[in-house]
Amino acid sequence: MRTQVAIIGGGPAGLLLGQLLHKAGIDNVVIERQTGDYVQSRIRAGVLEQVTMDLLARAGVDARARTEGLPHGGIELLFKGARHRIDMRGLTDGKQVTVYGQTEVTRDLMQARSAAGLTTIYCASQVSLHDFDSHRPRVRYEKNGQTHEIECDFIAGCDGYHGVSRASVPASALHVYEKVYPFGWLGVLADVPPVSHELIYANTERGFALCSMRSESRSRYYVQVPTEERVENWSDEAFWNELRSRLDPEARERLVTGPSIEKSIAPLRSFVAEPMRFGSLFLAGDAAHIVPPTGAKGLNLATADVGYLSRALEIFYGDKSASALDRYSDVCLRRVWKAERFSWWFTSLMHRFPESGEFGQKIQEAELDYLVHSHAASTSLAENYVGLPLEVF
Ligand code: RFL
Ligand code: PHB
């Protein structure tokens, strides 16, 4: 088989890239290790920046996100037992985020891909990347006991943190920056109405908590737990009790509980691999960088990467110029590092760090007090949360 761009990974980054390229008349194939059902069932991100909404529109897959997504113009910060609203819309000239689950984004992209008749190879095993230091790279994989090969012009590595793309690059060509946090998020999804109409990020002496949602009738809640915690140790009742203990009295009163639909623990990590391009191989999304979820930036960074990559490939095929492809890594990394900084800062501000003790808690509370009362500090939080603008090539 031959294609212009072989996309490794059929998560949101790979699928969105495929759709953007298709719109630009660039042929592509997506190679995914899992089944489509598996990809669609992963519960992850929930908050889309305007930049992501604009990219979904460019790809022609924003209809449902626009009608069913919930526009949010503010968030609430809870500390010392009281909630304070950050008016993101007011502080950023009307910008907002859209609460719309990654599962739904993935579903919309999968439907658009199959409606357009584009090739997606699910259940591909032993995926391997070859000759990406040349202009004739190839991807090999096995399916149903047979080995297949795809010849292409470029490979897009959109296969997430554990994927094969980054792992195929010689270690000496990569610089990896990493910070692992000593805690994770225990998350629960439940068909109960959200405790509040906006997201609540809580700093408490028992640790961080987040009240999020997927719709008016489906809630997503998280509590900080030690890294070594196991999800089997958490009954629904234990989870609700812990969440309740981290809320303010009014929210505690309003919290509606119910059986969990999903419960899992996500470790927290900051990670960047530089550069994001090796010859004909381009890394995008979680394959190149991870942020802790506190700032809701992971999916949004992934969509921004593929927004740049699709434009650079359009310029390559349309204008016969490789100049935008040559700038891809630098342009992405500038934005990536700003999101890394923001996510690290917001994580550090909101979580309980075992080693920092009472002093650390007091310092966090003082910073939060400053943050919610200082126009400058609130504006900085708001403009990062709604998402920094995309650079133009
Ligand atoms: P994905 O989603 O991991 O998709 C990669 C795909 O590649 C496939 N794959 C392979 N395919 C072929 N061959 C191989 N060898 C392969 N190895 C892997 C995988 O099966 C998969 O289908 O990466 P992508 O597309 O870069 O997307 C990134 C996002 O998924 C991620 O950044 C976000 O979910 C992070 N995140 C959040 N981001 C936000 O922007 N806003 C949020 O509110 C938000 N909340 C979250 C989050 C992540 C969380 N977890 C579980 C880590 C909340 C949580 C709890
Ligand atoms: C979510 O709804 O899953 C979510 C929302 C905000 C975050 C992280 C996750 O910062």
Side-chain angles (χ1 to χ4, degrees), residues 200-228:
I200 304 174
Y201 288 84
N203 170 306
T204 81
E205 287 178 12
R206 295 183 66 85
F208 171 76
L210 170 61
C211 303
S212 182
M213 66 195 76
R214 292 291 174 271
S215 68
E216 308 284 6
S217 57
R218 181 168 284 188
S219 298
R220 180 68 165 159
Y221 293 115
Y222 299 97
V223 293
Q224 173 188 354
V225 293
T227 312
E228 56 283 1

Side-chain angles (χ1 to χ4, degrees), residues 98-118:
T98 302
V99 171
Y100 187 68
Q102 179 168 332
T103 2
E104 304 309 313
V105 175
T106 309
R107 175 175 307 158
D108 296 342
L109 285 164
M110 282 170 80
Q111 275 175 4
R113 191 165 178 85
S114 83
L118 305 176

Side-chain angles (χ1 to χ4, degrees), residues 325-344:
L325 285 175
D326 291 342
R327 294 183 55 215
Y328 170 76
S329 180
D330 286 348
V331 170
C332 286
L333 283 167
R334 262 211 305 281
R335 198 164 181 280
V336 165
W337 274 110
K338 287 181 197 134
E340 290 283 346
R341 184 210 66 82
F342 173 67
S343 307
W344 158 81

Side-chain angles (χ1 to χ4, degrees), residues 307-320:
Y308 282 132
L309 185 53
S310 63
R311 274 274 185 251
L313 288 165
E314 270 179 62
I315 291 169
F316 176 82
Y317 286 112
D319 303 347
K320 307 277 178 273

Side-chain angles (χ1 to χ4, degrees), residues 119-326:
T119 310
T120 311
I121 296 147
Y122 284 106
C123 304
S125 63
Q126 311 297 325
V127 177
S128 57
L129 282 52
H130 303 271
D131 299 335
F132 54 82
D133 54 351
S134 78
H135 292 295
R136 300 198 57 199
R138 287 168 297 120
V139 177
R140 215 174 279 154
Y141 64 93
E142 285 179 19
K143 181 154 178 169
N144 301 329
Q146 286 197 322
T147 304
H148 303 263
E149 191 169 280
I150 302 178
E151 288 180 7
C152 54
D153 300 333
F154 298 104
I155 303 176
C158 303
D159 49 350
Y161 180 68
H162 299 287
V164 66
S165 299
R166 193 184 66 251
S168 305
V169 176
S172 59
L174 269 180
H175 197 136
V176 165
Y177 303 84
E178 186 169 31
K179 180 175 174 61
V180 177
Y181 301 86
F183 41 75
W185 283 14
L186 167 64
V188 155
L189 188 70
D191 276 331
V192 291
V195 67
S196 173
H197 62 282
E198 293 186 328
L199 271 62
I200 304 174
Y201 288 84
N203 170 306
T204 81
E205 287 178 12
R206 295 183 66 85
F208 171 76
L210 170 61
C211 303
S212 182
M213 66 195 76
R214 292 291 174 271
S215 68
E216 308 284 6
S217 57
R218 181 168 284 188
S219 298
R220 180 68 165 159
Y221 293 115
Y222 299 97
V223 293
Q224 173 188 354
V225 293
T227 312
E228 56 283 1
E229 193 62 82
R230 298 176 64 85
V231 70
E232 301 78 50
N233 296 339
W234 285 85
S235 64
D236 286 359
E237 195 192 353
F239 177 85
W240 293 120
N241 285 338
E242 187 57 42
L243 177 65
R244 208 178 275 117
S245 76
R246 298 185 191 191
L247 298 180
D248 58 291
E250 192 211 335
R252 201 175 294 152
E253 196 61 37
R254 288 176 55 96
L255 182 71
V256 182
T257 64
S260 63
I261 312 171
E262 195 260 5
K263 199 190 287 158
S264 55
I265 295 183
L268 264 61
R269 170 191 310 271
S270 298
F271 173 93
V272 181
E274 292 189 354
M276 289 170 61
R277 184 234 179 127
F278 308 88
S280 309
L281 168 64
F282 293 82
L283 300 179
D286 279 15
H289 40 74
I290 297 285
V291 286
T294 323
K297 291 284 161 248
L299 172 61
N300 292 298
L301 278 182
T303 58
D305 288 353
V306 300
Y308 282 132
L309 185 53
S310 63
R311 274 274 185 251
L313 288 165
E314 270 179 62
I315 291 169
F316 176 82
Y317 286 112
D319 303 347
K320 307 277 178 273
S321 162
S323 67
L325 285 175
D326 291 342

